[in-house]
Structures are given as structure tokens and as C-alpha cells.
Amino acid sequence: MSLELPAKGTHFVARVKINHRRHYITLAEEIVGLRPRTLKQQGDGEFERARRRAQAEHDRLVGELKSGVAKRNYLERVYTAAAGEHMPKVSLPELATAYVAAPRKQPLSPKYAPQARAMLEDFVNFMWEKYPMILHLAEVQHSHALAYISQLESRHYSEGRYNDYLILLRGAFERLRRQAGIHDNPFTGIPTKVPTIIHKRPFTVEELGLILQACADDDFIRPIIVALMCTALRRQAACLLDWRHIDLKEGFVVVNPGKGGNDTVIPIFPLFRHELERLHPRQQGYVFKAQAQMYLKNPDGITWRVKQVLKQSGFTDVPTRETDPKLSMVHPTGQRRVSLRGSHSFRTTWITLAILNGVPLDIVRKITGHRTVDVVFQHYLRPNRDQIRAALATKLPALLGGSISNPGLPVVSPIDEVRDRLANMTQESWAADRQALLQLLNSDQVKSQTYAIQTYI
């Protein structure tokens, strides 16, 4: 261990050897005055005073290192005497590997495992740089955790990203507590941040009609938009929909919506049925083959195409008026823009319209696959397919639902009612029929089906 003068640095450096590895620790003392080429030579008075202060700092560091080694040896002897076995150890560089390999009910997903490993290795690199004397997980203290959290703060991460790091590290130390001989979890007591959640904005029925108009001639993205609009599926589930999920005869889609949700049973509404029938004869594998290939290679490509349709429908990133429909907004933190409308907005729209039109919440949950904390509703309420079909057919707007009492029959439209009234109009009933027809033509049901007929079928 010695004090060194770096060739280009601005601060004195302490060279130490820890666990047979050489480390260079930058000291707080700054190099000032006329510096010599090496510390074997003498500088001016200002430099020599700085050298003495740096030497004192170096000596304090050496004492802390020796004290840490002594403390570690003491703790190991105490543990061995009490437990009758050697103290378990997990070295700091082994943190990520030990956490990924630790036993759990379900293995980490292939997508999350490398993310977790990268975040844990970031903490390890921080410790090696700032606290090279810490060799094992059991030696990490609360003060070290606070120092790392302070560094996360300096990176200006979003609340969600900050929480991801904190929750992962707290969970990793807790999961490895016995294996690593950890007495106190160093991340316990550090609070998470309240995230600023920007919810996706739902579309109105009129906006859905404009979107269908914009994508009517786009054979690539139109099927995905219709699927998102009529099923409340997430982007991934819609793009990777398989023919084995489709039962056209019964008029249902049975699929797992993703994110650990329950399998869902979704009625096939006329708008979506029309899109599926375009793809006949039925084949094996993905329903939307080209779209599935794009999603698997570049999921953002699907998002980009949906955004282009939304822009053609009148949505914009830079509204000129307050009433202009927005695609995105500046995050409250001011760090980035966040999406307000996109592929997930169709799911939000479906749920919003269903609830506002009186569809029972538990049927909505069955369709979307959301879990609930209410065990009774989760495990015992089982609406059958006919109940789901009847509730949705009578409650959802015609654009999404219509009449699906018999999926093999044509869509029952308000236009049929108009035709029947006109055909059966008499001299005595014309006034009442006229009033009823005017009310029907001004209803949301006719407006939404007019959009569907004009832009899609």
C-alpha cells in the first residue's frame, strides 16, 4: 500500500492490494502547486502540504481496510462457533449469477433474466469502484446501499426505473440472505418512489370510426387494429394470435392475454369476424403471418404503423389547439415524451366503453384476463359463454359488438329496422314512424355502424 502521483490525474491516488488484487483509489486531496515528476522528488511548499494531507488520508484508508478485514475475520469466527459450520459466503461478483440461479417457484423469464443481471452487475461495479475493500455480500452495509441509491438519483431515472433497481436489489439480498450469511438487508428501509403514471387515453366511438377510415386500404395494419379494437387484447397477443385460438363456428377466441393473466374467452364480434373470414381458407399457425413476423423481429414496427394510422385520423404530437387530439405529451418530470394514444389505447377504450355501457365488471375481467384480489370472484364466479355473449351483445356500441346472438347470421343493423318501418308504413302510422326513425338516425348506435359500413365493409 502506498501513495502515488498519477501522470495525468488531478488528485492523489492510493494503491492497495485487496484479496490479491491491486486497486487504485482516487483520494479527495487535490494535487496543487508545482508538482514533481515522481513522489521521490520534492515539490514546492504548496505541493508538499497537499502531499502530507494526502498521506494522512491514505493512512486512514489503510486503517479502515485493516479494520474491515479484522471485522470480517471476527464475524466468521463468531458464526463458526455459534453455528458449528463455516460462515456461508457469496462474493460480490457472484451476486447476479447467484440471484438468477436461486430457487424460486417459477424461473425468471428469458426476457427479464438478462435485465436483472445487468442491473445487479451495475451495483457490483459501483461497489468495486467506491468500496474495493468489500468482498462479500454479507459485508455490504446500509451506508453502501444509500450511496448507490444516491448515484441512481444523479442519473435522473424515472420513478419506475428507480424503483426497478431498488426492488430488485432489496429482493436479491433477501433471497440470498441464508446462502450469503447476510444478517441485515442493506436495502431495507429505503423507500420506493411514487411513480407518475400516465394512463393511455381511450378513443371515442367517433374516433374509432375515423381510425377505421384511415386504415381501410392498409391490408397490413388494418387486421391488427380491428383485432385490438374488438378483443381488448394487448399488442403481443393480437399480433401472435394463432388459428388454434379461433373458433369461428362457436364465435369465440380463447387465448392467454399475457402478463400472467388468466386465459380469456372473447366473443368474435362482426367487425373482427369479417376480418378473419378474409383470411379463409383457414391455415395452421399465426392468423396474421406477416404481422407476427414483424412483431417477433421488431415490435416497435407495429407500434409505428399504428401511430401513422392515428396521425392520418387527426391525432398529432404537436397540437396547434388545446382541443386537438394528442398522441403524446411531455412527462411531468420534463425528461421525455410519453405516449397518450397507441396500440394499448384500444384495450383501454374497450374496457372503458364496456363498463360505461353497463357490462358487469366480472365479465369485463373475464374478457381482459385481469386478476382480482377477491378470491370468491377469482375462483368461483364462472359466467358461461352464453352469458358473456348476451351481456356484450346488448351493452357494447354497435361498432364493437352489434348483435352476435347467432354468429352464423348476418349482422343485425339499425338499417334493417329503418327498412322494415318504411316498408310497413301506413297512412295512419307515418307520423309515429317518422318520429321513431329520426330518433334512431340520431342515435350513437347508427352513427357507429355507419362508420363501420362506410369505412370497412
Side-chain angles (χ1 to χ4, degrees), residues 299-323:
D300 290 338
I302 299 292
T303 299
W304 184 85
R305 286 175 176 258
V306 171
K307 292 278 190 182
Q308 297 311 301
V309 171
L310 294 182
K311 288 180 180 179
Q312 295 173 29
S313 306
F315 296 92
T316 176
D317 279 318
V318 188
T320 57
R321 297 172 299 178
E322 186 63 29
T323 56

mmCIF file with all atom_site columns, all heavy atoms in Angstrom, residues 299-323:
data_model
loop_
_atom_site.group_PDB
_atom_site.id
_atom_site.type_symbol
_atom_site.label_atom_id
_atom_site.label_alt_id
_atom_site.label_comp_id
_atom_site.label_asym_id
_atom_site.label_entity_id
_atom_site.label_seq_id
_atom_site.pdbx_PDB_ins_code
_atom_site.Cartn_x
_atom_site.Cartn_y
_atom_site.Cartn_z
_atom_site.occupancy
_atom_site.B_iso_or_equiv
_atom_site.pdbx_formal_charge
_atom_site.auth_seq_id
_atom_site.auth_comp_id
_atom_site.auth_asym_id
_atom_site.auth_atom_id
_atom_site.pdbx_PDB_model_num
ATOM 1   N N   . PRO A 1 299 ? -40.940 -5.320 -32.654 1.00 0.00 ? 299 PRO A N   1
ATOM 2   C CA  . PRO A 1 299 ? -42.270 -4.960 -32.144 1.00 0.00 ? 299 PRO A CA  1
ATOM 3   C C   . PRO A 1 299 ? -42.612 -3.491 -32.354 1.00 0.00 ? 299 PRO A C   1
ATOM 4   O O   . PRO A 1 299 ? -43.779 -3.145 -32.571 1.00 0.00 ? 299 PRO A O   1
ATOM 5   C CB  . PRO A 1 299 ? -42.172 -5.301 -30.650 1.00 0.00 ? 299 PRO A CB  1
ATOM 6   C CG  . PRO A 1 299 ? -41.044 -6.271 -30.536 1.00 0.00 ? 299 PRO A CG  1
ATOM 7   C CD  . PRO A 1 299 ? -40.087 -5.908 -31.623 1.00 0.00 ? 299 PRO A CD  1
ATOM 8   N N   . ASP A 1 300 ? -41.595 -2.638 -32.314 1.00 0.00 ? 300 ASP A N   1
ATOM 9   C CA  . ASP A 1 300 ? -41.863 -1.210 -32.483 1.00 0.00 ? 300 ASP A CA  1
ATOM 10  C C   . ASP A 1 300 ? -42.342 -0.886 -33.894 1.00 0.00 ? 300 ASP A C   1
ATOM 11  O O   . ASP A 1 300 ? -42.928 0.181  -34.127 1.00 0.00 ? 300 ASP A O   1
ATOM 12  C CB  . ASP A 1 300 ? -40.608 -0.393 -32.163 1.00 0.00 ? 300 ASP A CB  1
ATOM 13  C CG  . ASP A 1 300 ? -40.276 -0.430 -30.680 1.00 0.00 ? 300 ASP A CG  1
ATOM 14  O OD1 . ASP A 1 300 ? -41.188 -0.701 -29.886 1.00 0.00 ? 300 ASP A OD1 1
ATOM 15  O OD2 . ASP A 1 300 ? -39.108 -0.188 -30.329 1.00 0.00 ? 300 ASP A OD2 1
ATOM 16  N N   . GLY A 1 301 ? -42.091 -1.798 -34.843 1.00 0.00 ? 301 GLY A N   1
ATOM 17  C CA  . GLY A 1 301 ? -42.590 -1.579 -36.190 1.00 0.00 ? 301 GLY A CA  1
ATOM 18  C C   . GLY A 1 301 ? -44.109 -1.581 -36.229 1.00 0.00 ? 301 GLY A C   1
ATOM 19  O O   . GLY A 1 301 ? -44.726 -0.795 -36.974 1.00 0.00 ? 301 GLY A O   1
ATOM 20  N N   . ILE A 1 302 ? -44.725 -2.447 -35.440 1.00 0.00 ? 302 ILE A N   1
ATOM 21  C CA  . ILE A 1 302 ? -46.186 -2.474 -35.336 1.00 0.00 ? 302 ILE A CA  1
ATOM 22  C C   . ILE A 1 302 ? -46.676 -1.184 -34.704 1.00 0.00 ? 302 ILE A C   1
ATOM 23  O O   . ILE A 1 302 ? -47.629 -0.552 -35.191 1.00 0.00 ? 302 ILE A O   1
ATOM 24  C CB  . ILE A 1 302 ? -46.650 -3.688 -34.509 1.00 0.00 ? 302 ILE A CB  1
ATOM 25  C CG1 . ILE A 1 302 ? -46.224 -5.000 -35.176 1.00 0.00 ? 302 ILE A CG1 1
ATOM 26  C CG2 . ILE A 1 302 ? -48.151 -3.640 -34.276 1.00 0.00 ? 302 ILE A CG2 1
ATOM 27  C CD1 . ILE A 1 302 ? -46.928 -5.294 -36.472 1.00 0.00 ? 302 ILE A CD1 1
ATOM 28  N N   . THR A 1 303 ? -46.014 -0.764 -33.635 1.00 0.00 ? 303 THR A N   1
ATOM 29  C CA  . THR A 1 303 ? -46.401 0.471  -32.950 1.00 0.00 ? 303 THR A CA  1
ATOM 30  C C   . THR A 1 303 ? -46.304 1.670  -33.899 1.00 0.00 ? 303 THR A C   1
ATOM 31  O O   . THR A 1 303 ? -47.189 2.535  -33.923 1.00 0.00 ? 303 THR A O   1
ATOM 32  C CB  . THR A 1 303 ? -45.505 0.699  -31.722 1.00 0.00 ? 303 THR A CB  1
ATOM 33  O OG1 . THR A 1 303 ? -45.674 -0.394 -30.819 1.00 0.00 ? 303 THR A OG1 1
ATOM 34  C CG2 . THR A 1 303 ? -45.868 1.995  -31.007 1.00 0.00 ? 303 THR A CG2 1
ATOM 35  N N   . TRP A 1 304 ? -45.240 1.718  -34.691 1.00 0.00 ? 304 TRP A N   1
ATOM 36  C CA  . TRP A 1 304 ? -45.043 2.828  -35.620 1.00 0.00 ? 304 TRP A CA  1
ATOM 37  C C   . TRP A 1 304 ? -46.170 2.880  -36.638 1.00 0.00 ? 304 TRP A C   1
ATOM 38  O O   . TRP A 1 304 ? -46.697 3.951  -36.957 1.00 0.00 ? 304 TRP A O   1
ATOM 39  C CB  . TRP A 1 304 ? -43.698 2.688  -36.327 1.00 0.00 ? 304 TRP A CB  1
ATOM 40  C CG  . TRP A 1 304 ? -43.387 3.838  -37.237 1.00 0.00 ? 304 TRP A CG  1
ATOM 41  C CD1 . TRP A 1 304 ? -42.821 5.030  -36.911 1.00 0.00 ? 304 TRP A CD1 1
ATOM 42  C CD2 . TRP A 1 304 ? -43.667 3.904  -38.651 1.00 0.00 ? 304 TRP A CD2 1
ATOM 43  N NE1 . TRP A 1 304 ? -42.712 5.837  -38.017 1.00 0.00 ? 304 TRP A NE1 1
ATOM 44  C CE2 . TRP A 1 304 ? -43.224 5.167  -39.105 1.00 0.00 ? 304 TRP A CE2 1
ATOM 45  C CE3 . TRP A 1 304 ? -44.227 3.016  -39.557 1.00 0.00 ? 304 TRP A CE3 1
ATOM 46  C CZ2 . TRP A 1 304 ? -43.328 5.556  -40.434 1.00 0.00 ? 304 TRP A CZ2 1
ATOM 47  C CZ3 . TRP A 1 304 ? -44.339 3.408  -40.882 1.00 0.00 ? 304 TRP A CZ3 1
ATOM 48  C CH2 . TRP A 1 304 ? -43.896 4.662  -41.305 1.00 0.00 ? 304 TRP A CH2 1
ATOM 49  N N   . ARG A 1 305 ? -46.571 1.734  -37.158 1.00 0.00 ? 305 ARG A N   1
ATOM 50  C CA  . ARG A 1 305 ? -47.635 1.701  -38.165 1.00 0.00 ? 305 ARG A CA  1
ATOM 51  C C   . ARG A 1 305 ? -48.970 2.122  -37.562 1.00 0.00 ? 305 ARG A C   1
ATOM 52  O O   . ARG A 1 305 ? -49.765 2.808  -38.210 1.00 0.00 ? 305 ARG A O   1
ATOM 53  C CB  . ARG A 1 305 ? -47.730 0.306  -38.783 1.00 0.00 ? 305 ARG A CB  1
ATOM 54  C CG  . ARG A 1 305 ? -46.592 0.008  -39.759 1.00 0.00 ? 305 ARG A CG  1
ATOM 55  C CD  . ARG A 1 305 ? -46.662 -1.432 -40.253 1.00 0.00 ? 305 ARG A CD  1
ATOM 56  N NE  . ARG A 1 305 ? -45.630 -1.681 -41.254 1.00 0.00 ? 305 ARG A NE  1
ATOM 57  C CZ  . ARG A 1 305 ? -45.841 -1.730 -42.571 1.00 0.00 ? 305 ARG A CZ  1
ATOM 58  N NH1 . ARG A 1 305 ? -47.059 -1.493 -43.037 1.00 0.00 ? 305 ARG A NH1 1
ATOM 59  N NH2 . ARG A 1 305 ? -44.859 -1.983 -43.406 1.00 0.00 ? 305 ARG A NH2 1
ATOM 60  N N   . VAL A 1 306 ? -49.225 1.708  -36.327 1.00 0.00 ? 306 VAL A N   1
ATOM 61  C CA  . VAL A 1 306 ? -50.454 2.144  -35.658 1.00 0.00 ? 306 VAL A CA  1
ATOM 62  C C   . VAL A 1 306 ? -50.433 3.658  -35.483 1.00 0.00 ? 306 VAL A C   1
ATOM 63  O O   . VAL A 1 306 ? -51.436 4.345  -35.713 1.00 0.00 ? 306 VAL A O   1
ATOM 64  C CB  . VAL A 1 306 ? -50.623 1.434  -34.295 1.00 0.00 ? 306 VAL A CB  1
ATOM 65  C CG1 . VAL A 1 306 ? -51.785 2.046  -33.508 1.00 0.00 ? 306 VAL A CG1 1
ATOM 66  C CG2 . VAL A 1 306 ? -50.863 -0.057 -34.499 1.00 0.00 ? 306 VAL A CG2 1
ATOM 67  N N   . LYS A 1 307 ? -49.283 4.198  -35.098 1.00 0.00 ? 307 LYS A N   1
ATOM 68  C CA  . LYS A 1 307 ? -49.160 5.654  -34.914 1.00 0.00 ? 307 LYS A CA  1
ATOM 69  C C   . LYS A 1 307 ? -49.423 6.398  -36.216 1.00 0.00 ? 307 LYS A C   1
ATOM 70  O O   . LYS A 1 307 ? -50.037 7.482  -36.215 1.00 0.00 ? 307 LYS A O   1
ATOM 71  C CB  . LYS A 1 307 ? -47.757 5.997  -34.399 1.00 0.00 ? 307 LYS A CB  1
ATOM 72  C CG  . LYS A 1 307 ? -47.470 5.525  -32.988 1.00 0.00 ? 307 LYS A CG  1
ATOM 73  C CD  . LYS A 1 307 ? -48.012 6.482  -31.950 1.00 0.00 ? 307 LYS A CD  1
ATOM 74  C CE  . LYS A 1 307 ? -47.507 6.114  -30.565 1.00 0.00 ? 307 LYS A CE  1
ATOM 75  N NZ  . LYS A 1 307 ? -48.060 7.019  -29.525 1.00 0.00 ? 307 LYS A NZ  1
ATOM 76  N N   . GLN A 1 308 ? -48.956 5.839  -37.338 1.00 0.00 ? 308 GLN A N   1
ATOM 77  C CA  . GLN A 1 308 ? -49.182 6.503  -38.625 1.00 0.00 ? 308 GLN A CA  1
ATOM 78  C C   . GLN A 1 308 ? -50.666 6.569  -38.942 1.00 0.00 ? 308 GLN A C   1
ATOM 79  O O   . GLN A 1 308 ? -51.160 7.578  -39.454 1.00 0.00 ? 308 GLN A O   1
ATOM 80  C CB  . GLN A 1 308 ? -48.428 5.772  -39.734 1.00 0.00 ? 308 GLN A CB  1
ATOM 81  C CG  . GLN A 1 308 ? -46.914 5.768  -39.581 1.00 0.00 ? 308 GLN A CG  1
ATOM 82  C CD  . GLN A 1 308 ? -46.356 7.149  -39.290 1.00 0.00 ? 308 GLN A CD  1
ATOM 83  O OE1 . GLN A 1 308 ? -46.536 8.074  -40.066 1.00 0.00 ? 308 GLN A OE1 1
ATOM 84  N NE2 . GLN A 1 308 ? -45.668 7.287  -38.161 1.00 0.00 ? 308 GLN A NE2 1
ATOM 85  N N   . VAL A 1 309 ? -51.401 5.496  -38.634 1.00 0.00 ? 309 VAL A N   1
ATOM 86  C CA  . VAL A 1 309 ? -52.843 5.500  -38.849 1.00 0.00 ? 309 VAL A CA  1
ATOM 87  C C   . VAL A 1 309 ? -53.506 6.545  -37.956 1.00 0.00 ? 309 VAL A C   1
ATOM 88  O O   . VAL A 1 309 ? -54.407 7.279  -38.390 1.00 0.00 ? 309 VAL A O   1
ATOM 89  C CB  . VAL A 1 309 ? -53.432 4.099  -38.586 1.00 0.00 ? 309 VAL A CB  1
ATOM 90  C CG1 . VAL A 1 309 ? -54.961 4.146  -38.597 1.00 0.00 ? 309 VAL A CG1 1
ATOM 91  C CG2 . VAL A 1 309 ? -52.929 3.107  -39.628 1.00 0.00 ? 309 VAL A CG2 1
ATOM 92  N N   . LEU A 1 310 ? -53.051 6.633  -36.710 1.00 0.00 ? 310 LEU A N   1
ATOM 93  C CA  . LEU A 1 310 ? -53.631 7.616  -35.789 1.00 0.00 ? 310 LEU A CA  1
ATOM 94  C C   . LEU A 1 310 ? -53.371 9.037  -36.288 1.00 0.00 ? 310 LEU A C   1
ATOM 95  O O   . LEU A 1 310 ? -54.239 9.912  -36.177 1.00 0.00 ? 310 LEU A O   1
ATOM 96  C CB  . LEU A 1 310 ? -53.064 7.418  -34.387 1.00 0.00 ? 310 LEU A CB  1
ATOM 97  C CG  . LEU A 1 310 ? -53.427 6.096  -33.694 1.00 0.00 ? 310 LEU A CG  1
ATOM 98  C CD1 . LEU A 1 310 ? -52.845 6.056  -32.291 1.00 0.00 ? 310 LEU A CD1 1
ATOM 99  C CD2 . LEU A 1 310 ? -54.926 5.875  -33.651 1.00 0.00 ? 310 LEU A CD2 1
ATOM 100 N N   . LYS A 1 311 ? -52.192 9.274  -36.843 1.00 0.00 ? 311 LYS A N   1
ATOM 101 C CA  . LYS A 1 311 ? -51.889 10.610 -37.377 1.00 0.00 ? 311 LYS A CA  1
ATOM 102 C C   . LYS A 1 311 ? -52.793 10.930 -38.565 1.00 0.00 ? 311 LYS A C   1
ATOM 103 O O   . LYS A 1 311 ? -53.257 12.064 -38.713 1.00 0.00 ? 311 LYS A O   1
ATOM 104 C CB  . LYS A 1 311 ? -50.421 10.688 -37.777 1.00 0.00 ? 311 LYS A CB  1
ATOM 105 C CG  . LYS A 1 311 ? -49.458 10.722 -36.595 1.00 0.00 ? 311 LYS A CG  1
ATOM 106 C CD  . LYS A 1 311 ? -48.008 10.801 -37.048 1.00 0.00 ? 311 LYS A CD  1
ATOM 107 C CE  . LYS A 1 311 ? -47.070 10.843 -35.844 1.00 0.00 ? 311 LYS A CE  1
ATOM 108 N NZ  . LYS A 1 311 ? -45.642 10.893 -36.256 1.00 0.00 ? 311 LYS A NZ  1
ATOM 109 N N   . GLN A 1 312 ? -53.046 9.926  -39.393 1.00 0.00 ? 312 GLN A N   1
ATOM 110 C CA  . GLN A 1 312 ? -53.954 10.139 -40.520 1.00 0.00 ? 312 GLN A CA  1
ATOM 111 C C   . GLN A 1 312 ? -55.385 10.388 -40.043 1.00 0.00 ? 312 GLN A C   1
ATOM 112 O O   . GLN A 1 312 ? -56.189 10.985 -40.763 1.00 0.00 ? 312 GLN A O   1
ATOM 113 C CB  . GLN A 1 312 ? -53.925 8.923  -41.443 1.00 0.00 ? 312 GLN A CB  1
ATOM 114 C CG  . GLN A 1 312 ? -52.593 8.688  -42.136 1.00 0.00 ? 312 GLN A CG  1
ATOM 115 C CD  . GLN A 1 312 ? -52.568 7.378  -42.891 1.00 0.00 ? 312 GLN A CD  1
ATOM 116 O OE1 . GLN A 1 312 ? -53.598 6.897  -43.356 1.00 0.00 ? 312 GLN A OE1 1
ATOM 117 N NE2 . GLN A 1 312 ? -51.387 6.789  -43.009 1.00 0.00 ? 312 GLN A NE2 1
ATOM 118 N N   . SER A 1 313 ? -55.677 9.936  -38.829 1.00 0.00 ? 313 SER A N   1
ATOM 119 C CA  . SER A 1 313 ? -57.024 10.106 -38.265 1.00 0.00 ? 313 SER A CA  1
ATOM 120 C C   . SER A 1 313 ? -57.192 11.448 -37.566 1.00 0.00 ? 313 SER A C   1
ATOM 121 O O   . SER A 1 313 ? -58.270 11.737 -37.043 1.00 0.00 ? 313 SER A O   1
ATOM 122 C CB  . SER A 1 313 ? -57.320 8.973  -37.279 1.00 0.00 ? 313 SER A CB  1
ATOM 123 O OG  . SER A 1 313 ? -57.127 7.714  -37.872 1.00 0.00 ? 313 SER A OG  1
ATOM 124 N N   . GLY A 1 314 ? -56.125 12.248 -37.506 1.00 0.00 ? 314 GLY A N   1
ATOM 125 C CA  . GLY A 1 314 ? -56.224 13.570 -36.905 1.00 0.00 ? 314 GLY A CA  1
ATOM 126 C C   . GLY A 1 314 ? -55.480 13.751 -35.605 1.00 0.00 ? 314 GLY A C   1
ATOM 127 O O   . GLY A 1 314 ? -55.440 14.861 -35.059 1.00 0.00 ? 314 GLY A O   1
ATOM 128 N N   . PHE A 1 315 ? -54.863 12.701 -35.091 1.00 0.00 ? 315 PHE A N   1
ATOM 129 C CA  . PHE A 1 315 ? -54.087 12.821 -33.859 1.00 0.00 ? 315 PHE A CA  1
ATOM 130 C C   . PHE A 1 315 ? -52.702 13.370 -34.188 1.00 0.00 ? 315 PHE A C   1
ATOM 131 O O   . PHE A 1 315 ? -52.161 13.111 -35.270 1.00 0.00 ? 315 PHE A O   1
ATOM 132 C CB  . PHE A 1 315 ? -53.970 11.466 -33.156 1.00 0.00 ? 315 PHE A CB  1
ATOM 133 C CG  . PHE A 1 315 ? -55.278 10.911 -32.689 1.00 0.00 ? 315 PHE A CG  1
ATOM 134 C CD1 . PHE A 1 315 ? -56.016 10.063 -33.496 1.00 0.00 ? 315 PHE A CD1 1
ATOM 135 C CD2 . PHE A 1 315 ? -55.790 11.249 -31.450 1.00 0.00 ? 315 PHE A CD2 1
ATOM 136 C CE1 . PHE A 1 315 ? -57.233 9.554  -33.081 1.00 0.00 ? 315 PHE A CE1 1
ATOM 137 C CE2 . PHE A 1 315 ? -57.013 10.745 -31.015 1.00 0.00 ? 315 PHE A CE2 1
ATOM 138 C CZ  . PHE A 1 315 ? -57.731 9.897  -31.846 1.00 0.00 ? 315 PHE A CZ  1
ATOM 139 N N   . THR A 1 316 ? -52.114 14.101 -33.243 1.00 0.00 ? 316 THR A N   1
ATOM 140 C CA  . THR A 1 316 ? -50.840 14.762 -33.525 1.00 0.00 ? 316 THR A CA  1
ATOM 141 C C   . THR A 1 316 ? -49.978 14.823 -32.274 1.00 0.00 ? 316 THR A C   1
ATOM 142 O O   . THR A 1 316 ? -50.482 14.820 -31.145 1.00 0.00 ? 316 THR A O   1
ATOM 143 C CB  . THR A 1 316 ? -51.070 16.194 -34.057 1.00 0.00 ? 316 THR A CB  1
ATOM 144 O OG1 . THR A 1 316 ? -49.808 16.836 -34.231 1.00 0.00 ? 316 THR A OG1 1
ATOM 145 C CG2 . THR A 1 316 ? -51.914 17.011 -33.086 1.00 0.00 ? 316 THR A CG2 1
ATOM 146 N N   . ASP A 1 317 ? -48.655 14.876 -32.491 1.00 0.00 ? 317 ASP A N   1
ATOM 147 C CA  . ASP A 1 317 ? -47.704 15.043 -31.387 1.00 0.00 ? 317 ASP A CA  1
ATOM 148 C C   . ASP A 1 317 ? -47.553 16.507 -31.001 1.00 0.00 ? 317 ASP A C   1
ATOM 149 O O   . ASP A 1 317 ? -47.138 16.828 -29.894 1.00 0.00 ? 317 ASP A O   1
ATOM 150 C CB  . ASP A 1 317 ? -46.326 14.489 -31.776 1.00 0.00 ? 317 ASP A CB  1
ATOM 151 C CG  . ASP A 1 317 ? -46.252 12.980 -31.613 1.00 0.00 ? 317 ASP A CG  1
ATOM 152 O OD1 . ASP A 1 317 ? -46.769 12.473 -30.608 1.00 0.00 ? 317 ASP A OD1 1
ATOM 153 O OD2 . ASP A 1 317 ? -45.694 12.316 -32.497 1.00 0.00 ? 317 ASP A OD2 1
ATOM 154 N N   . VAL A 1 318 ? -47.865 17.402 -31.954 1.00 0.00 ? 318 VAL A N   1
ATOM 155 C CA  . VAL A 1 318 ? -47.701 18.836 -31.710 1.00 0.00 ? 318 VAL A CA  1
ATOM 156 C C   . VAL A 1 318 ? -49.025 19.531 -32.025 1.00 0.00 ? 318 VAL A C   1
ATOM 157 O O   . VAL A 1 318 ? -49.202 20.091 -33.115 1.00 0.00 ? 318 VAL A O   1
ATOM 158 C CB  . VAL A 1 318 ? -46.560 19.423 -32.573 1.00 0.00 ? 318 VAL A CB  1
ATOM 159 C CG1 . VAL A 1 318 ? -46.289 20.869 -32.159 1.00 0.00 ? 318 VAL A CG1 1
ATOM 160 C CG2 . VAL A 1 318 ? -45.300 18.590 -32.456 1.00 0.00 ? 318 VAL A CG2 1
ATOM 161 N N   . PRO A 1 319 ? -49.972 19.494 -31.099 1.00 0.00 ? 319 PRO A N   1
ATOM 162 C CA  . PRO A 1 319 ? -51.270 20.117 -31.366 1.00 0.00 ? 319 PRO A CA  1
ATOM 163 C C   . PRO A 1 319 ? -51.154 21.635 -31.450 1.00 0.00 ? 319 PRO A C   1
ATOM 164 O O   . PRO A 1 319 ? -50.405 22.262 -30.706 1.00 0.00 ? 319 PRO A O   1
ATOM 165 C CB  . PRO A 1 319 ? -52.124 19.690 -30.168 1.00 0.00 ? 319 PRO A CB  1
ATOM 166 C CG  . PRO A 1 319 ? -51.136 19.421 -29.075 1.00 0.00 ? 319 PRO A CG  1
ATOM 167 C CD  . PRO A 1 319 ? -49.911 18.883 -29.757 1.00 0.00 ? 319 PRO A CD  1
ATOM 168 N N   . THR A 1 320 ? -51.890 22.221 -32.378 1.00 0.00 ? 320 THR A N   1
ATOM 169 C CA  . THR A 1 320 ? -51.898 23.678 -32.507 1.00 0.00 ? 320 THR A CA  1
ATOM 170 C C   . THR A 1 320 ? -52.977 24.313 -31.650 1.00 0.00 ? 320 THR A C   1
ATOM 171 O O   . THR A 1 320 ? -52.925 25.496 -31.357 1.00 0.00 ? 320 THR A O   1
ATOM 172 C CB  . THR A 1 320 ? -52.110 24.071 -33.975 1.00 0.00 ? 320 THR A CB  1
ATOM 173 O OG1 . THR A 1 320 ? -53.336 23.478 -34.443 1.00 0.00 ? 320 THR A OG1 1
ATOM 174 C CG2 . THR A 1 320 ? -50.956 23.572 -34.833 1.00 0.00 ? 320 THR A CG2 1
ATOM 175 N N   . ARG A 1 321 ? -53.966 23.524 -31.271 1.00 0.00 ? 321 ARG A N   1
ATOM 176 C CA  . ARG A 1 321 ? -55.038 23.994 -30.404 1.00 0.00 ? 321 ARG A CA  1
ATOM 177 C C   . ARG A 1 321 ? -55.201 23.051 -29.227 1.00 0.00 ? 321 ARG A C   1
ATOM 178 O O   . ARG A 1 321 ? -54.833 21.871 -29.305 1.00 0.00 ? 321 ARG A O   1
ATOM 179 C CB  . ARG A 1 321 ? -56.352 24.084 -31.183 1.00 0.00 ? 321 ARG A CB  1
ATOM 180 C CG  . ARG A 1 321 ? -56.350 25.088 -32.323 1.00 0.00 ? 321 ARG A CG  1
ATOM 181 C CD  . ARG A 1 321 ? -57.621 24.959 -33.144 1.00 0.00 ? 321 ARG A CD  1
ATOM 182 N NE  . ARG A 1 321 ? -57.736 23.628 -33.725 1.00 0.00 ? 321 ARG A NE  1
ATOM 183 C CZ  . ARG A 1 321 ? -58.774 23.218 -34.455 1.00 0.00 ? 321 ARG A CZ  1
ATOM 184 N NH1 . ARG A 1 321 ? -59.789 24.037 -34.667 1.00 0.00 ? 321 ARG A NH1 1
ATOM 185 N NH2 . ARG A 1 321 ? -58.797 22.008 -34.967 1.00 0.00 ? 321 ARG A NH2 1
ATOM 186 N N   . GLU A 1 322 ? -55.739 23.552 -28.161 1.00 0.00 ? 322 GLU A N   1
ATOM 187 C CA  . GLU A 1 322 ? -55.912 22.753 -26.955 1.00 0.00 ? 322 GLU A CA  1
ATOM 188 C C   . GLU A 1 322 ? -56.851 21.578 -27.197 1.00 0.00 ? 322 GLU A C   1
ATOM 189 O O   . GLU A 1 322 ? -56.727 20.521 -26.565 1.00 0.00 ? 322 GLU A O   1
ATOM 190 C CB  . GLU A 1 322 ? -56.462 23.635 -25.813 1.00 0.00 ? 322 GLU A CB  1
ATOM 191 C CG  . GLU A 1 322 ? -56.544 22.943 -24.465 1.00 0.00 ? 322 GLU A CG  1
ATOM 192 C CD  . GLU A 1 322 ? -55.176 22.536 -23.938 1.00 0.00 ? 322 GLU A CD  1
ATOM 193 O OE1 . GLU A 1 322 ? -54.187 23.223 -24.278 1.00 0.00 ? 322 GLU A OE1 1
ATOM 194 O OE2 . GLU A 1 322 ? -55.098 21.544 -23.192 1.00 0.00 ? 322 GLU A OE2 1
ATOM 195 N N   . THR A 1 323 ? -57.789 21.755 -28.121 1.00 0.00 ? 323 THR A N   1
ATOM 196 C CA  . THR A 1 323 ? -58.775 20.707 -28.384 1.00 0.00 ? 323 THR A CA  1
ATOM 197 C C   . THR A 1 323 ? -58.270 19.644 -29.349 1.00 0.00 ? 323 THR A C   1
ATOM 198 O O   . THR A 1 323 ? -58.946 18.633 -29.552 1.00 0.00 ? 323 THR A O   1
ATOM 199 C CB  . THR A 1 323 ? -60.058 21.339 -28.961 1.00 0.00 ? 323 THR A CB  1
ATOM 200 O OG1 . THR A 1 323 ? -59.719 22.090 -30.138 1.00 0.00 ? 323 THR A OG1 1
ATOM 201 C CG2 . THR A 1 323 ? -60.723 22.249 -27.933 1.00 0.00 ? 323 THR A CG2 1
#
